[in-house]
Each structure stands twice: as structure tokens, then as C-alpha cells.
Amino acid sequence: MEIEEAYQVVGEFGHYQKRAVAVLILIQVYMAGQSMLIVLVGAAPQYHLDQDVSRFSSHQELSQHVTFTEDVDSIVTEWFLIQQQAYKVSLAGSLFFAGVLVGNIVFGPLSDRIGRKPIFLTALFLEVIFGYVTALAPTYELFAFSRLLVGLMNGGIGLVCFVLTQEYVGKSYWAMTGTLSNMTFAVGIALFGALGYYIRPWRHLATAANSPGVLFFLLCVTLPESPRWLYSQGRTEKAEEVLRYVALRNGNPVGNLTLRRVCKAGRDGEGSGVMRLVTHPVLRWRTVVLMYIWYACSLVYYGLTLGASETSGSRYVNVAMYGLVELPAYPVCMYFINKPWAGRKKSTASFLCLAGISCFCTIFFPEKTGVLLNATSLALLGKLMVSAAFNIVYVYTSELYPTVIRNAGLGVCSMSCRVGGILAPFVPSMRAIHSSMPFTVFCVSGLTAGGLSFLLPETLNAPAAETLDQLHSAPCGRVIHSKVRLYEDDQSKLNRK
């Protein structure tokens, strides 16, 4: 039987799979804390200098003449990262996301080649270690370097963890598990804001935010390898063994479960890796379109986040709101992507276009007014729409790539996503050209990405491709090759005549 038929026998989302997926989803809370750590540990309080800072030639001299007027414990107050040294806080944050970028590129192809579980556990273990280095760092230089390493591991964990939540269950549950992963990340941001409110010393906060990783690592050690990955690699007997184990733990033991034998990925030049995304005609076009969509989602999402966060008040409340504002997007997109009249493609395109239109409409409304409809509310509506699109894109992308190259595809798309996140802070500075320029950029990005989404095939209720050979025959590959096949069928009929 095929792998998808085996899930029908074993159970698409049984008791054991629910527990395994729950652990993987809850890891998103830990990852969110690591991603948002610099926001609170790098908090810059108000301060007073009794002399001109240019006179100070050393860190010790500066510390004797600066007085912080707020009761804040952060890397700023410990290492006096003010004035000419203030850039170091942003640098540490940039190093984290640079690490995430590299982690997406490196760990995706590695997990496709070596396996999901060993790469995932290695990255999780090292992230916990480097997280404690962050909390105990005696100097800024070691702190910044540890953030780079934590980001590197975080990028790998996020990618492989998301894929595992998909591959442990039947395809009909992919949208749900993918959405829950993204929703839990948003909840994790809110919880981190609450944690920072109660734990103020930055070293204690870094330790508390990192410690759940130890528990998650111990829980994940017992998880099995992805049966889909084993099957795609030609390790059919091992895949059958894992499926029987899952069936037993689901309370649905199966005695005779035999999968159809497939050739190991990599034979006859099929291979897995980033190069297949370039050389394979279907994957090449698909990857180019998806990379732009991921880039646009990230640019609009983070750009709007920076714009919406320009409010006064408690920094802890603001951090929590960054997460909570996303939550309504997830049930909305879950509803639409499972409807035949909407599906993945139309939902992605619609939410991106609505995000672009919302940004465009902000040009015609004042930023602050007493009425409900204003630039701020429209910007938040745009963020809601792009959050929904971002969530769908994760699920949609995993369905568009075969198992043998799924992590590599997600890794390349995530790389493009990080580029959008890096560029997003520079967009608000375009106000110097014209006040409407930032929202014009967001509008154009959302509309163009939404339009390109229509070039991708629909994957709703379509069987997932396991190998590159199946990609040509899978429904999600028919859009690109339909004309070629029709021509070949006509030629075959003519030859028979």
C-alpha cells in the first residue's frame, strides 16, 4: 500500500500522534521566547550623563558618570550600551536573525539527507546549551556570539519541527497542525511578555526563558523518525516498523502492514538537496514564486509590526500585544483553506491582496482620530490579513514539495523570508521621500505576491508527493505540465491510428 493508505489504517491523528504533535507544537513557546529575548534583555532605560560622553575614553569612566533614571536591569545597564555603543543592542538582535537565516539554509537539506530526528535533537540540544551561555555571558562579545549560535539552532529547529508536525499525521490534518504551530508561536510571544513582567533581572529572564528547552529535549528523545521520510528514502521496512509502533500506541495494532517498495531517493540522479530545486523544472518555477511570496509576507508583516508598535506604555504589554493581535487570523484561515471553494491557493492570494488593499487605504485616512476607521486600525487589519497569509504559506509550501526535498524547499523559502525581515526596518525610513511611501511598498508587495499565488497549483485534497517521480503525476504538478501531457496524449493517439 502507499504511505497515505497506511495512515488510514494506522490512524491519521490517533492518541499517540496527538501527544507527539502536542510536544512539537509547545516547543514553539520556547522558540518564541528565544526570538523575542533581545526585546526585553536589551531594554534601554532613560539615563543622565553629567559630562560630555566624548570625554570618556574607557568603559569604566563612562560608568562613573552615567545615571539610569529607570529601574531596569538589562544588557544596556550592565555594559552601558548607550550613545555610540547603543548600536550593539540592535547588532545582537540582527546576529540572532542572521543565525536563523543560516540555520534555515543548512538544516533543511541536512534533515532531508540525514533524517528529521537526529538533526532536530542536535539543534535543540545545542540551542539549550547556547541559551545558557547567553544568560551567563561575562562580556557583550560572548553574549552577541551566543545569540548568533542560538539563532542558528533556532532556524533549524523551527524548520524541522514544523515538518515533523506534518509528517507524523495524515495529510488531511496538515493544515490543522501547521496552523496550531504558528498560533502557539504567537501565544509564546505573549507569554514571554508576561514572563518578563515578573522576572526583571535580564540574566534571570534569559535563564527562565531557556530552561523549558531542557524538558522539551527530554520529551523529544522518545519520538520516532518520520515514517514519511523513511519511506521516501527507500527504507520501507523501517517505515513499516514505525507505523506499526504508532498503530500500537494508538490502540489500533495492525499485523500485516506492507508498504509498496520504492527506490531510495538519490538513485538515477534524483537526489535531495537545494540543487534539485534549481534543476527540476517543476520545482524551479514553484520555488521562485514561493520565495517571493515568503519575502513579501515577511516584509509586510514585520514592517506593519514596527509601525503598529510606535505606541507608549509598558514594554511588557506591547510585547504581549504583538503576539495576541495575530490570534484571530488563525481560526479564520483554518476555516477558509479547508473549503473547496477557497482552498490553499485562493486563500493565500485573497489574504495577501486584502493586506495590500488595507495598506493602500491607510494613505487616505489620518493616523490618529476618534473614529473607528483610521490609519492605525487599517494597518492592524493589514497585519491580521498578512498573518493569516503567512500561516497558510507554511502549510501550502509543505504540501507543494515532495517529502524527499520538503525541508530543503522550506529552508530556501525561509531564507527568503528572513531577507524580507531584514529589509522591513528600512521601509519606514522611506517616509523621508513621502509620508505614503512605506504603505505603498507594503501595498505593492502584498498585491504582487497575491497575484503570483494564482500561478501555483491547488493542493487541497490532493495526495502528497513522496518522491520527485511522483511530483510529475501528482495533482499539484499537473498545472505546469498539463499542456505537455495533452500534446503527448494526442501524439500517442495518432501513433495508434
Side-chain angles (χ1 to χ4, degrees):
M1 66 179 69
E2 298 288 346
I3 186 70
E4 206 60 52
E5 295 175 337
Y7 274 99
Q8 299 292 333
V9 176
V10 169
E12 287 193 286
F13 198 45
H15 296 298
Y16 177 74
Q17 289 148 304
K18 289 177 182 178
R19 291 193 294 269
V21 169
V23 173
L24 295 172
I25 287 175
L26 288 174
I27 289 178
Q28 300 297 321
V29 175
Y30 166 70
M31 294 177 59
Q34 290 295 337
S35 299
M36 297 296 293
L37 186 69
I38 194 64
V39 176
L40 296 184
V41 304
Q46 298 291 326
Y47 62 88
H48 172 72
L49 283 172
D50 56 17
Q51 292 187 30
D52 185 4
V53 69
S54 61
R55 299 179 181 179
F56 307 137
S57 58
S58 67
H59 175 275
Q60 185 176 3
E61 291 182 8
L62 176 62
S63 63
Q64 294 173 355
H65 296 278
V66 63
T67 302
F68 291 102
T69 57
E70 290 184 64
D71 185 17
V72 174
D73 182 83
S74 67
I75 62 174
V76 175
T77 59
E78 179 165 338
W79 293 314
F80 297 93
L81 304 181
I82 59 175
Q83 299 290 314
Q84 288 87 350
Q85 300 295 314
Y87 76 93
K88 290 184 177 180
V89 178
S90 300
L91 177 61
S94 297
L95 286 173
F96 174 85
F97 287 106
V100 174
L101 170 63
V102 177
N104 291 155
I105 300 172
V106 172
F107 286 99
L110 276 179
S111 65
D112 283 334
R113 184 176 298 275
I114 299 174
R116 313 303 198 214
K117 182 179 178 180
I119 296 299
F120 171 70
L121 290 178
T122 301
L124 180 57
F125 176 79
L126 291 177
E127 179 165 354
V128 173
I129 297 298
F130 296 141
Y132 283 123
V133 173
T134 293
L136 301 174
T139 64
Y140 167 80
E141 289 72 21
L142 184 57
F143 172 87
F145 183 63
S146 70
R147 296 313 297 162
L148 173 66
L149 296 177
V150 169
L152 181 68
M153 301 303 138
N154 195 279
I157 292 172
L159 196 63
V160 183
C161 184
F162 180 83
V163 171
L164 280 175
T165 61
Q166 308 273 279
E167 296 184 351
Y168 277 159
V169 302
K171 186 176 180 296
S172 60
Y173 288 91
W174 283 14
M176 184 189 71
T177 57
T179 300
L180 287 175
S181 295
N182 292 330
M183 182 184 295
T184 308
F185 189 89
V187 173
I189 296 176
L191 291 177
F192 177 71
L195 184 68
Y197 178 80
Y198 290 103
I199 303 178
R200 298 299 177 91
W202 79 266
R203 292 186 184 275
H204 295 170
L205 176 60
T207 302
N210 188 62
S211 295
V214 178
L215 174 62
F216 287 125
F217 176 79
L218 296 176
L219 291 174
C220 291
V221 168
T222 61
L223 295 178
E225 181 57 272
S226 165
R228 290 184 183 274
W229 179 82
L230 291 169
Y231 181 70
S232 70
Q233 296 296 305
R235 298 169 61 180
T236 312
E237 293 181 358
K238 183 63 177 176
E240 292 171 350
E241 180 182 333
V242 173
L243 287 171
R244 292 191 189 99
Y245 174 77
V246 172
L248 181 64
R249 299 296 297 271
N250 281 342
N252 184 30
V254 291
N256 185 19
L257 192 152
T258 304
L259 295 173
R260 183 178 65 84
R261 264 46 183 173
V262 296
C263 296
K264 180 181 178 181
R267 188 173 297 177
D268 298 326
E270 183 177 90
S272 60
V274 176
M275 286 306 298
R276 299 304 301 171
L277 302 177
V278 178
T279 59
H280 196 283
V282 176
L283 293 177
R284 181 172 58 244
W285 173 247
R286 208 170 276 185
T287 301
V288 169
V289 174
L290 286 171
M291 284 181 68
Y292 182 79
I293 293 173
W294 280 66
Y295 159 80
C297 284
S298 180
L299 181 71
V300 178
Y301 175 84
Y302 289 110
L304 288 175
T305 300
L306 292 174
S309 64
E310 295 177 357
T311 56
S312 60
S314 170
R315 61 175 58 93
Y316 308 103
V317 174
N318 289 339
V319 170
M321 287 303 298
Y322 296 157
L324 294 177
V325 74
E326 302 176 34
L327 295 183
Y330 300 111
V332 170
C333 68
M334 280 187 68
Y335 173 80
F336 282 103
I337 62 177
N338 289 314
K339 296 298 180 180
W341 45 267
R344 275 62 159 159
K345 178 171 68 174
K346 292 180 181 178
S347 297
T348 302
S350 299
F351 282 122
L352 281 170
C353 289
L354 287 172
I357 293 171
S358 298
C359 292
F360 179 73
C361 290
T362 59
I363 300 173
F364 305 101
F365 290 87
E367 292 189 4
K368 294 182 180 180
T369 181
V371 299
L372 179 63
L373 191 61
N374 53 55
T376 302
S377 62
L378 287 170
L380 290 174
L381 177 62
K383 185 184 177 184
L384 180 70
M385 294 295 105
V386 79
S387 297
F390 220 159
N391 176 67
I392 299 172
V393 165
Y394 268 93
V395 178
Y396 195 16
T397 302
S398 66
E399 294 178 346
L400 285 169
Y401 285 108
T403 302
V404 294
I405 204 169
R406 183 168 294 126
N407 264 353
L410 281 169
V412 171
C413 292
S414 296
M415 176 191 69
S416 180
C417 166
R418 304 307 166 189
V419 173
I422 292 171
L423 294 178
F426 296 98
V427 178
S429 63
M430 297 178 70
R431 287 179 179 270
I433 303 174
H434 193 276
S435 59
S436 64
M437 188 61 68
F439 285 107
T440 301
V441 172
F442 298 146
C443 170
V444 173
S445 299
L447 292 176
T448 53
L452 285 175
S453 300
F454 286 107
L455 300 178
L456 296 171
E458 180 57 70
T459 58
L460 178 64
N461 299 324
E466 305 297 333
T467 65
L468 297 181
D469 287 337
Q470 294 177 0
L471 182 66
H472 292 288
S473 60
C476 57
R478 288 174 186 163
V479 172
I480 295 177
H481 293 286
S482 59
K483 294 184 178 180
V484 176
R485 288 178 185 161
L486 287 172
Y487 174 79
E488 292 174 348
D489 291 342
D490 291 339
Q491 291 298 314
S492 298
K493 292 177 181 177
L494 290 173
N495 292 334
R496 285 196 297 270
K497 290 180 180 179

